[in-house]
Structure formats: structure tokens, C-alpha cells
Amino acid sequence: MEPDRMAKRPRLAEGVTAASAGSGEWAQVISAVQPAIVALKVTFVCAFEDDQASLSVGTGFVVDKQQGLILTNRHITGVGPVRGIAVFDRHEELEVEVVYRDPIHDFGFFRYDPSKLRLTGAAEIVLEPNDLKVGTEIRVVGNDAGEKLQILSGTIARTDRNVPEFNTVYNDENTYYAGAGAGTSGGSSGSPVLNKAGRAIALNAAGTDGAASAFFLPLDRVCYTLEGLREGRMVTRGTCMAAFHFKAFDELKKVGLHEQEELEVRRKHEDATGMLIVDSVLCEQKSLRAGDILLKLQGEVCINFVQLEGDLDAHVGESVELVVNRGGEKLVLQVDVADLHALIPRSFVELGMDVLHGLGYHAARRANLPLDSGIYLARAGYVFESLGADWGCLITSVNGKATPSPEAFVKAIEDIPDRQYFPVQWHDLRDFRRDRTLKSGFAKMSRAWSPLRIWRCSTGTRESPEIWDSQDMPLPSRRPRVAEPPGRAAMLTGGDRLVRALQTSLVTVRFRTEQRFCTEALDCGSAEGVGLIVDAKRGLVVTDRHSAPQSLGDVEITLAGCATVDGEVIFIHPQHNLAFIRCDPEALAALLQSKLPLRSAKFAKGKQASLRAGENVYFVGFDNQNNAFSAEVRVAAVYLPSGKDEFPPWHMPRFRERNLEIIVLADTPEDARGGVLCNKRGEVRALFAAFDWQGARVREETTEAFGIATSVFAPLLEAFQKEPNLKPQVRSLDVEVSAVDMATLARGAAGKMPSAWVQSVLRRCGQQGQVARAIRVSRVLPTGASDGKLLPSDVLLSIDGQTIACALDVEEALWPRSRQKTKAGRGSAGKRSRSPRVGACPSEAVAVQVFRDGWQIEVMVTPSLLGSEDDAELVIWAGLVLRKTPRCILERCGPSVVAKAGGVFVQHVLGGSPADSQELHPHCFLKEMGGRPIHHLSDVLQHSRDSREKARCSASTGRGEWVRLRFLDLAGKEHVRAVQPDLVFFPTLDLSRCGNGRWQCTQQP
């Protein structure tokens, strides 16, 4: 044969070989259809039914190349709003939009713009539902297990399987499924099931974990829907509010089928092996009952789902005649046909990060509840998490009003002001089979996180995809109701003398925040603890950082065990496990006016202000049920955790305690949540606080209580009492210290240590009843006050002439000199002059003497002035939760990383956001946006404003232009990613703290 006359054979697609396809014949078939098969990356932008906001991968295939229609599964298109990307054969990425989701069966359609394909040739796969037969050799071609292309072989084993059932809200019904041993897995959902002619005979839908079984959806209703989309008409889908199953004749005879009825069916359909029987009905169906055998539909024998659905789809809004066998009795029924599309939620409500929508067909069927029973909580946010409800709950009423629909829910809560509690009734649908009890409780309204917003979806067509529009409801004008003061009669009167003396000063603290905005709080976003009133007139309370880890959140303070008021975090100690919170002034004033006896705690003075090992003291506090009690306890040790005993770093950087001598009890009361350690007169000597640290496993959080001597936070109390409206500052050398035994130091140090200093340390430690220890520098914060001046392993001898024998000595030596003179000049009568605010004066250099390499060296260090270690602003851009880079991050990084680190840190990535869709990870520095350096949060906001002005985003999709981002991880490696902002579902938000201490959320225009 002449070379120019040689027959041209189709080129095998990249990666497709005879071996991978199973044979050369199959390789040619797959090569022809491969350009029509796409990998889908679909982002569920918000929780809907049991789909959480997240990124999902799957497969689809082009069924109409002119109109750009892609067929895939319903569980890939989702039910709520989504953003999708289709990756074509030549690695081209195109945006896709939902044009149709089937309300019952597991299929849906995306649409793309065919004119935007540049490299991939136009191709489509023809649907051939009639070729789905037992024994057909098949190939499942798709994005299996996240791979770009996988080819799985199999043989159709059966075509009359009932729908597979899963423990999810959505389950298919009223159709057969085909089965084969194809061994599909995650990512292959939506793949075409091909025959040797290269046509799709079914749609891959599901598989069985731990087995090779795969389930395929027949294409009868798919073809019906595709025809409607091509013609541009609405696709009607009807239901009689009942789910049917196919059962064999022998099974049906056991429940009442007569021999004559079987013969009538077999005369009509010679190859018939069974009939349809009602498996379940919705509560709205009053005619049909479970167990009814379908004999005829509209006067014709009906034994298959294709005929059943065809008649129902053709009579939406009308009624059909069904002849059924019910327990051996023949009945003729007129059954209404409802619109299935109207029974699927097409709107949702956002409130305080909660997402709620109507109770759809599938959830109602699964729970066996009427469709108007309530609204479905798809995501528990700040409001409904406050009453302990989780996603999957059904809210039946709020504020005493029934909530059968999202509109009714909005009407019921629109007048409830911020921070107001309101009654709620709900069912827990996830546990509904075990417990169908109607639960009740009180939720707390929150309008600071987001406005009350209702979203509605307009149905997609061939020309126009689904569009979600939002409407913000106005804020209520009335203020929250102030609870009536309980009065003195509500006070606790039980307990011993110490409990009665301190119950007016001890409080319990409850903290909650949105989990996605945890900056310093535990991952769960909530905590409970104990605090101590230090200024009753101003409502000032000292507590630990476990109980009040950050100001962005909700703080409630229960006073005297009988009155709960809102609070705000006003100061978080930058170095220690301490926080100060303040009661709501209006609520506090009402309580004081009602004669509720709130008292400032009395603190021990002089030597009593510190504790030593072996002393007997009294614990007064609360157990985990908030019962107040007291117990005599003994101090086992007062020491600085060092070496293997130090508080370990967190897996992801956050505050950890250091430079603090903790008080350990030999007999800590069982079940003690927290409280104080006091003497027998009720004078407080230490706060018994809850400490958090990283457990042995990742994400394991450990909490244990230790004592903090009052001398640690005494300067802050004085500062607040003198100038309550000004926040204090704490002086710091920016080093972490550890304790080392003098005996060990003497043997290991080069050279001789100063004898005067050694004698002073021995004397001081002996007075405290502990082994003589020196304080040594273990870490120096890069770019901090001591960077380049102090070195790890330096032994601290003195600061400004004051001998250093413990970690507290370092802090006391850094106090303003006027306060040091006051402390030194206190007379025997206890009189003292007023001391200035901590950090009120500019920081002055101090002389630090250290023992280094056998030499006594003096260096001058200007201490840093540290304010409250708390955020005042967060910015959310494209789903990135950004904050000012905190100190704990810099402490974690080495000097080389700190030198390159930026001022903006990525704390979290919101699920379902553009950042999540690009698989960006948190805990890194944001260095650049679109080539512009980012130093502060204001730079991010300015970039957002500039981009919005220049945006050429689609009016229908709201997607902005791609932005190139440069990140620096904690190891110092740079990463470049691109993100496409979503201006509809993820606009730029500025969360900032106002002057009154409240947080507010502002959406950038």
C-alpha cells in the first residue's frame, strides 16, 4: 500500500493504552470519547442538607457539545449554591454552572461555554439507555479516587436492583439500579458507563465500601430531562408522595397478591418477574399505604418505574388513578400528583453563621414528618450552638411561633434584638430513630457576626443557570430586655464560713466564639471557668485565658450564683495565663441597685501574698456542676516548669504559659473547676486557674488547674484601679527562661560564679523552702528587645541591681522605678504611696548582668512594652481569615523566618470559599496580593476596594478576576497560588472591635 494511501487510525489519547483499556478495541473507543469526559471540582459554598461547605471532586461527561451540557450526579451538583470548575482532556479549566438538579434521582446537569475551549476538541457521548442489559461488557471512565483519568472494567450483573440505601438525608427512589463489579471509588461519581460502541448506557452513582460492587443509574429520566433542556422548556417532575420497590411475585404473594393478578400481569408482560409495591409514604399522602401492590396506573398494568414516572411527570398538579392490592383487597384510588421541584428547598437563611432551610422531601421522608414541621439546621453557628443544637436539627418553633418555612422563621425572629435569649423547640433528626423527643431550650441572638439574610434561588434553564439572590432584613430597633434582678434572697446560703465569705466575690465565666474565628480559644470554640471580682463597683473580674481566651466572642458572667450578665474581655496578659473581663455596666448597675451584695475580693499582703511548699491553705471554688465548696489543701511545690516539665508548644502556634512559677497542690480537690487559694480569714493568696496545653497527639487539648500567686497580677490591678479606662502595658525582655539547679550549674558552668550572687540565691530559695535554682535564658524572641544582646544559656544574675532568683524577680525588676521605690519604701504599718500605671512611662533601658561562658557580663536592654495580647480586627477575604501576626507565631519561628515574616497571618480558611476551592492552607504569612506587598490588614482592604472598582465580574456569577497570592509558611518556604474572589457568597468582611468593646462586621462595598 502506498504511504499516502494508508488508512488513518484514531490517535490514542494521552495515557490510554491497550493495557489500561483492557484491549486495543476498547482503547480506540475510549480515545474517541475521552475529550468529552471532564474532571469536576465543585465547591459547596454553604452547608445544605447533609452537605457541609467543602470542596468535592467528581466526574462528568459532555452530552451536548453545542449547548455545553455536562451530565453528572446530583450529589456532585449539590442542592444548595455551588461553584464549579470542569477540567477537560487537555487540562483546560472552564467555569460550569448548574442548570438542572433532579429532585429525586442522582443526576444533574452543568453548563459550560463551548466557545471558550481552545485545546480540547469538541466531543460528546451519546446516551443509549436501552442497551443496559445483563452481560454487557463495560468500561467506567472517569476521575477515580481523585486521579485525572482512570479506566475500570466490569460486566453488568443485574439491571433490576432496588435503589441502594445510605445513612444520609438524600436517598434515591422509584428507579432500578444496575450492578457490576467495577470497583469504583470516590471521584468516579458521575462517570459514564460505556459499552463497546462508545455510548453511555448508565451513569455511575455509588459503590460499596470494602467491596468491588458498583451501582449505576439507568438513563431513562436523564434522556427525558436532556430533551427538555435542549428545547428550553421546564422539566416537570411529579410524585404521589410514595416510594415504590420492585419485588418478585413470590414475595408479593406473601402480602396478599392473588394468582389471578399475577397471571394478568404475565399475559401483558411475558418476561415479568415481579411488580411494584409501596415501600413508604410521606405524611401528606393519605390514600396510599405501605404494602399497597400497584396493579394498574391510569388503566394500564404498571410493573416498572419508567412507566410509573412517565405518567406522574405528565400529570403534575392533577390526579391519577391507581388500582392497588391492599392486603388482598383491590382498591381504586385517586391520588394527587405534586410538583417534586416545589418540595426541594430553594431558599435558605443565614443568621450569626447559622444556615437554615426548609425541610425538603428527602429529609421529611427519612424522618417521617410533615413537610411543614419546621426548618432544617444545616449548620449550627453562633446562635443555635448556644442551646446545644447541632447540624441536622429541625427547628419547629422560635420565640413561641411555629416555623414551617424559612419565611415564617424570619418573621418569628426579625424583632429579637442582639444578645437577647429566646425560646426554641427542636428535634434532633440525626438521632431521630432513637429519640423522637421534642427538645426545648434558649438560644442567644447574635447579630454582630452577620445580618439576618434570606437567599432565594431562581430555577436554571438552558440559557440561564441558577441564580441566588439575597435580601438583608433590617435590624430591630428595640434594645435587649434586662432581666429582673434576683435580689439578696437568691444568694447561696449553704456551705461553710469561707464559702459564705467568698461567694460574693467568686463568679463563673462562660465563653463562646464561632469555631471558624478561634484565634486563641480551644478548637471547640467554647469554655467555662471561674473568675474573681477585683473591683465590684466597676464589675472588673480577673480570670484565666482558658475561660476568656479572646475578645471576639460572647462572655457571660454569673455573679453570686444567681445572676448572669454579659461581659467583655478588656485585657489579656501578653505573658501569663491571665485575663481581665468587665461586666455589662447597665446590668451591673441594676444588680447593685437591687442590693445584691457583690464585693471586691480581699488580697493577702506581705509574705502572705506568696506561697511556699508545705503550707496549708484553703481552696474555695466551684466544681464542674458549678457548686461552690471549700477544702483545706497543702502546697506541694512552687516551681518554674522547665525542661521536660515545661508547657509544650502547640501543634499550631498559640499562647502557652512560660516564665511563671506555678503553685501545685498535693491534694487538689476532685472535680475542682477553679477558684482561689486563701488563708483562714478569706484573704486571697492565689488564683487557682485552668491551664491549656498541647496533648501528646495532634489536636489533643489538655486542661489542668494550678495556682497563680496574686503578686503576679498585683501591678495590673493597681493600674486598672488608678486609670480604669486605660489599658496597661507590661514590660518584657522578650526572652523565655528556665530554672536550673545551682548544683548542676556549678558543675557544668565554665569559670566561677559570683559568690555574692550565689549566697543571695541560696538565701532566697531557702526562705521559699525550695531547692536552690538559678534562672537561665532558654529562648530569645527574634527581633525582640533582647535579640542580639542576650543569648540562650545566659544565667541571669541581676537586673538594675536586683538579684534574680526566680522568674517573678525578672518582672518585678522591670517595673517602673517609681513603683520599685514604693515597694521598697513600704513601712511596717503597711502605708504606701500611689504607684503609676504599669508601662505609663516610656520604657527605659535596664542593666542586665549575666553569667556567660565563665564571665560576668553586663548588657543594656530596653524592655518591650506589651499591651493586651488580643486581636482588634480580623479581615475575611475570599475565605481567608486574616489577622495581625501575633507574638506566639514569631516565637515559634526561627530568626531566618522572622526576618522574612509579614504582618498579616492566615489564621483559618473558610470551608466552601474560593480559598478552600484552591486548597489553600492556614497558618502562613500573606506577603503579596496581585504583586502588591502586604504589610498590614489595611493593605488587604485597600486591595479589595481597588479590585472591586476595576472588577469585570459577571453579573450572573459574581466572580472577580484571579488574584495571585504569595505566602510564606512557618518553615520559611514561599508559595504562590491564585484565587478567584466570589463577590456574592464571600465578599470582603472587616470584623473590628468598636470603642465600646463590641465587635461589628462590615461588608466592603
Side-chain angles (χ1 to χ4, degrees):
M1 184 180 289
E2 295 293 329
D4 59 340
R5 292 177 177 269
M6 293 180 63
K8 293 184 178 180
R9 303 179 62 186
R11 180 184 66 85
L12 291 181
E14 181 181 354
V16 179
T17 65
S20 64
S23 68
E25 180 183 5
W26 272 109
Q28 298 297 329
V29 170
I30 294 171
S31 296
V33 301
Q34 185 177 347
I37 301 173
V38 300
L40 293 171
K41 297 180 180 179
V42 181
T43 304
F44 303 146
V45 300
C46 75
F48 217 93
E49 288 192 342
D50 52 0
D51 291 327
Q52 298 303 302
S54 60
L55 174 65
S56 177
V57 295
T59 304
F61 58 99
V62 179
V63 293
D64 192 314
K65 60 185 179 183
Q66 279 77 33
Q67 298 186 13
L69 296 178
I70 296 174
L71 174 63
T72 187
N73 289 132
R74 179 187 190 269
H75 68 262
I76 298 297
T77 64
V79 186
V82 299
R83 300 298 197 191
I85 295 291
V87 184
F88 285 78
D89 179 44
R90 295 299 180 183
H91 305 283
E92 292 181 88
E93 294 187 0
L94 293 184
E95 295 179 1
V96 294
E97 299 162 339
V98 176
V99 294
Y100 180 83
R101 298 177 172 97
D102 196 77
I104 287 294
H105 298 322
D106 197 6
F107 74 90
F109 288 91
F110 282 112
R111 181 188 179 277
Y112 69 97
D113 186 350
S115 65
K116 293 185 178 180
L117 280 178
R118 299 177 296 106
L119 306 176
T120 304
E124 68 181 28
I125 296 177
V126 178
L127 305 182
E128 193 59 68
N130 294 329
D131 284 356
L132 181 61
K133 299 176 182 178
V134 174
T136 302
E137 186 180 358
I138 59 167
R139 293 294 184 271
V140 181
V141 185
N143 177 36
D144 190 75
E147 298 293 332
K148 178 65 176 66
L149 180 70
Q150 286 288 315
I151 304 168
L152 302 173
S153 61
T155 303
I156 298 297
R158 59 181 302 185
T159 59
D160 60 353
R161 189 196 191 282
N162 282 314
V163 295
E165 295 187 3
F166 302 97
N167 188 27
T168 58
V169 170
Y170 169 74
N171 273 290
D172 208 336
E173 66 178 42
N174 293 345
T175 182
Y176 297 116
Y177 265 69
T184 58
S185 61
S188 65
S189 293
S191 300
V193 180
L194 301 173
N195 62 10
K196 283 190 176 181
R199 300 192 172 192
I201 63 174
L203 179 67
N204 182 41
T208 303
D209 291 337
S213 300
F215 305 126
F216 307 139
L217 176 70
L219 300 178
D220 302 281
R221 286 297 96 185
V222 175
C223 292
Y224 162 78
T225 303
L226 179 59
E227 180 183 354
L229 292 176
R230 283 171 170 167
E231 296 175 358
R233 58 178 169 82
M234 295 298 295
V235 179
T236 58
R237 298 286 279 116
T239 177
C240 60
M241 299 289 193
F244 290 82
H245 273 185
F246 175 82
K247 286 191 177 182
F249 288 125
D250 288 346
E251 285 289 324
L252 295 174
K253 288 179 181 179
K254 300 174 183 178
V255 292
L257 181 68
H258 299 300
E259 186 74 24
Q260 185 61 35
E261 293 169 338
E262 177 186 343
L263 292 176
E264 183 179 354
V265 170
R266 295 177 65 182
R267 280 195 298 269
K268 185 72 174 179
H269 303 279
E270 294 181 358
D271 57 348
T273 59
M275 302 171 65
L276 301 181
I277 183 173
V278 176
D279 178 66
S280 63
V281 298
L282 270 72
C283 295
E284 286 76 6
Q285 176 53 260
K286 305 301 182 183
S287 300
L288 291 171
R289 294 176 61 184
D292 286 353
I293 303 171
L294 180 60
L295 301 178
K296 290 184 179 181
L297 174 61
Q298 293 292 87
E300 297 291 333
V301 173
C302 179
I303 64 168
N304 62 70
F305 293 110
V306 177
Q307 180 183 351
L308 171 68
E309 290 200 298
D311 281 337
L312 294 178
D313 291 347
H315 294 85
V316 174
E318 304 172 8
S319 62
V320 293
E321 181 183 271
L322 275 69
V323 180
V324 301
N325 178 316
R326 179 178 296 169
E329 180 184 358
K330 181 182 291 188
L331 300 175
V332 179
L333 307 174
Q334 290 294 324
V335 179
D336 293 335
V337 179
D339 181 5
L340 265 174
H341 292 296
L343 305 181
I344 304 301
R346 295 282 78 198
S347 64
F348 67 94
V349 177
E350 283 186 307
L351 171 67
M353 313 306 290
D354 299 79
V355 176
L356 308 99
H357 57 72
L359 180 66
Y361 178 93
H362 297 279
R365 176 195 167 208
R366 177 179 173 83
N368 193 29
L369 289 172
L371 285 160
D372 60 355
S373 297
I375 58 170
Y376 186 88
L377 182 62
R379 186 189 188 281
Y382 205 64
V383 176
F384 288 97
E385 188 275 336
S386 65
L387 58 79
D390 202 351
W391 74 268
C393 288
L394 184 70
I395 310 299
T396 61
S397 72
V398 297
N399 208 25
K401 301 175 183 178
T403 55
S405 66
E407 290 74 17
F409 172 79
V410 170
K411 189 69 175 176
I413 66 169
E414 61 183 357
D415 291 331
I416 302 176
D418 189 30
R419 296 195 174 196
Q420 178 70 58
Y421 276 95
F422 58 94
V424 179
Q425 291 184 323
W426 78 97
H427 290 293
D428 186 354
L429 297 188
R430 292 196 298 170
D431 195 33
F432 210 42
R433 294 183 179 180
R434 187 176 65 90
D435 182 9
R436 296 181 69 92
T437 304
L438 181 64
K439 299 175 174 59
S440 62
F442 294 92
K444 190 175 186 179
M445 178 57 70
S446 176
R447 298 183 181 273
W449 299 90
S450 64
L452 175 59
R453 177 176 295 163
I454 185 168
W455 293 81
R456 297 181 179 90
C457 176
S458 58
T459 304
T461 63
R462 181 188 65 184
E463 293 81 11
S464 175
E466 290 184 346
I467 298 177
W468 290 84
D469 295 313
S470 64
Q471 177 186 0
D472 288 356
M473 309 306 292
L475 292 173
S477 57
R478 66 187 183 94
R479 293 171 56 83
R481 177 178 55 85
V482 177
E484 184 178 350
R488 189 182 185 95
M491 286 285 297
L492 294 174
T493 56
D496 58 22
R497 177 180 56 83
L498 288 176
V499 171
R500 292 194 298 272
L502 284 169
Q503 65 179 342
T504 56
S505 301
L506 284 171
V507 303
T508 56
V509 180
R510 184 189 181 199
F511 173 84
R512 286 191 310 112
T513 192
E514 225 290 330
Q515 293 181 359
R516 293 180 290 182
F517 298 120
C518 289
T519 55
E520 292 294 335
L522 298 176
D523 290 342
C524 63
S526 62
E528 294 187 8
V530 178
L532 182 68
I533 298 176
V534 294
D535 190 329
K537 183 178 179 181
R538 298 187 177 95
L540 188 63
V541 175
V542 63
T543 185
D544 49 58
R545 292 181 62 152
H546 167 84
S547 308
Q550 60 186 61
S551 63
L552 180 55
D554 182 72
V555 178
E556 293 182 339
I557 306 168
T558 300
L559 305 164
C562 60
T564 299
V565 299
D566 290 324
E568 61 169 310
V569 179
I570 61 172
F571 186 82
I572 296 180
H573 201 292
Q575 293 178 306
H576 299 314
N577 181 31
L578 292 166
F580 288 85
I581 54 181
R582 183 165 50 204
C583 300
D584 178 66
E586 183 179 349
L588 179 66
L591 292 176
L592 293 176
Q593 189 175 4
S594 70
K595 306 301 182 181
L596 188 69
L598 303 179
R599 297 187 179 91
S600 304
K602 295 181 179 180
F603 293 95
K605 307 294 184 181
K607 293 182 178 180
Q608 286 284 308
S610 59
L611 290 165
R612 56 181 293 171
E615 277 193 272
N616 287 333
V617 291
Y618 296 91
F619 167 84
V620 181
F622 297 94
D623 61 17
N624 287 320
Q625 287 73 44
N626 289 335
N627 298 313
F629 72 99
S630 69
E632 186 175 2
V633 294
R634 183 169 58 86
V635 177
V638 180
Y639 76 103
L640 174 66
S642 305
K644 65 179 182 179
D645 293 328
E646 70 178 6
F647 292 98
W650 291 89
H651 178 69
M652 290 302 173
R654 50 180 285 199
F655 168 79
R656 69 181 183 92
E657 184 58 78
R658 68 270 191 205
N659 300 350
L660 174 70
E661 280 90 8
I662 61 173
I663 301 168
V664 182
L665 300 181
D667 45 1
T668 301
E670 186 177 355
D671 203 32
R673 170 177 290 171
V676 296
L677 302 178
C678 64
N679 57 26
K680 59 183 179 180
R681 295 188 298 274
E683 296 172 336
V684 176
R685 303 181 64 184
L687 180 70
F688 200 62
F691 288 72
D692 301 322
W693 69 87
Q694 178 77 62
R697 296 185 296 272
V698 175
R699 303 187 70 86
E700 180 185 1
E701 297 169 336
T702 302
T703 301
E704 190 172 347
F706 302 105
I708 302 176
T710 57
S711 54
V712 174
F713 52 87
L716 295 175
L717 294 181
E718 295 180 13
F720 277 118
Q721 290 171 348
K722 183 176 182 180
E723 299 180 71
N725 294 325
L726 294 178
K727 293 184 179 180
Q729 293 176 312
V730 176
R731 285 173 164 78
S732 172
L733 294 180
D734 293 333
V735 298
E736 185 173 340
V737 299
S738 60
V740 56
D741 290 348
M742 291 291 289
T744 302
L745 183 63
R747 297 183 63 184
K752 184 179 179 181
M753 293 178 292
S755 57
W757 170 79
V758 171
Q759 294 301 317
S760 178
V761 170
L762 292 174
R763 184 169 54 255
R764 290 276 303 281
C765 292
Q767 293 173 351
Q768 292 297 320
Q770 61 185 24
V771 176
R773 293 187 176 94
I775 300 301
R776 182 173 59 179
V777 177
S778 57
R779 296 181 181 92
V780 179
L781 175 66
T783 71
S786 299
D787 187 27
K789 299 176 180 179
L790 297 180
L791 301 176
S793 77
D794 281 352
V795 178
L796 295 179
L797 303 179
S798 66
I799 298 178
D800 269 1
Q802 297 186 43
T803 301
I804 302 302
C806 65
L808 183 59
D809 288 342
V810 177
E811 296 184 25
E812 290 183 344
L814 297 178
W815 288 346
R817 290 195 175 102
S818 55
R819 190 182 194 281
Q820 294 176 20
K821 293 176 181 178
T822 300
K823 181 174 183 284
R826 292 176 185 172
S828 57
K831 297 180 180 180
R832 58 187 177 93
S833 62
R834 298 178 63 180
S835 60
R837 178 171 67 92
V838 179
C841 305
S843 189
E844 303 172 352
V846 294
V848 182
Q849 286 195 347
V850 300
F851 187 71
R852 180 187 301 169
D853 298 330
W855 297 90
Q856 184 174 339
I857 300 173
E858 181 176 297
V859 295
M860 299 300 295
V861 179
T862 302
S864 299
L865 293 177
L866 306 180
S868 176
E869 192 173 71
D870 189 26
D871 292 285
E873 183 179 21
L874 295 179
V875 171
I876 297 91
W877 180 86
L880 294 175
V881 180
L882 307 171
R883 64 187 294 208
K884 178 183 177 183
T885 301
R887 282 172 54 88
C888 61
I889 302 298
L890 301 179
E891 292 172 355
R892 170 74 171 268
C893 303
S896 60
V897 178
V898 171
K900 299 185 292 183
V904 176
F905 188 73
V906 181
Q907 184 69 26
H908 292 290
V909 175
L910 301 184
S913 67
D916 185 39
S917 69
Q918 298 303 310
E919 302 182 67
L920 299 185
H921 299 288
H923 305 116
C924 56
F925 304 97
L926 177 59
K927 298 285 290 181
E928 291 181 8
M929 296 179 69
R932 179 186 300 179
I934 299 297
H935 302 291
H936 310 284
L937 292 175
S938 58
D939 297 334
V940 179
L941 295 174
Q942 185 61 48
H943 178 276
S944 177
R945 287 189 289 266
D946 295 344
S947 300
R948 188 61 185 261
E949 293 175 0
K950 301 176 183 177
R952 295 190 297 271
C953 60
S954 168
S956 61
T957 65
R959 298 182 182 182
E961 295 183 341
W962 288 87
V963 179
R964 187 181 72 256
L965 306 176
R966 186 179 298 276
F967 300 96
L968 183 77
D969 64 23
L970 297 181
K973 297 179 182 178
E974 287 193 342
H975 305 270
V976 176
R977 297 287 189 273
V979 171
Q980 185 182 26
D982 185 336
L983 306 180
V984 175
F985 295 106
F986 290 92
T988 301
L989 302 177
D990 184 14
L991 273 168
S992 57
R993 193 175 187 184
C994 306
N996 61 2
R998 302 280 181 87
W999 282 78
Q1000 69 175 7
C1001 180
T1002 305
Q1003 179 174 322
Q1004 293 297 298

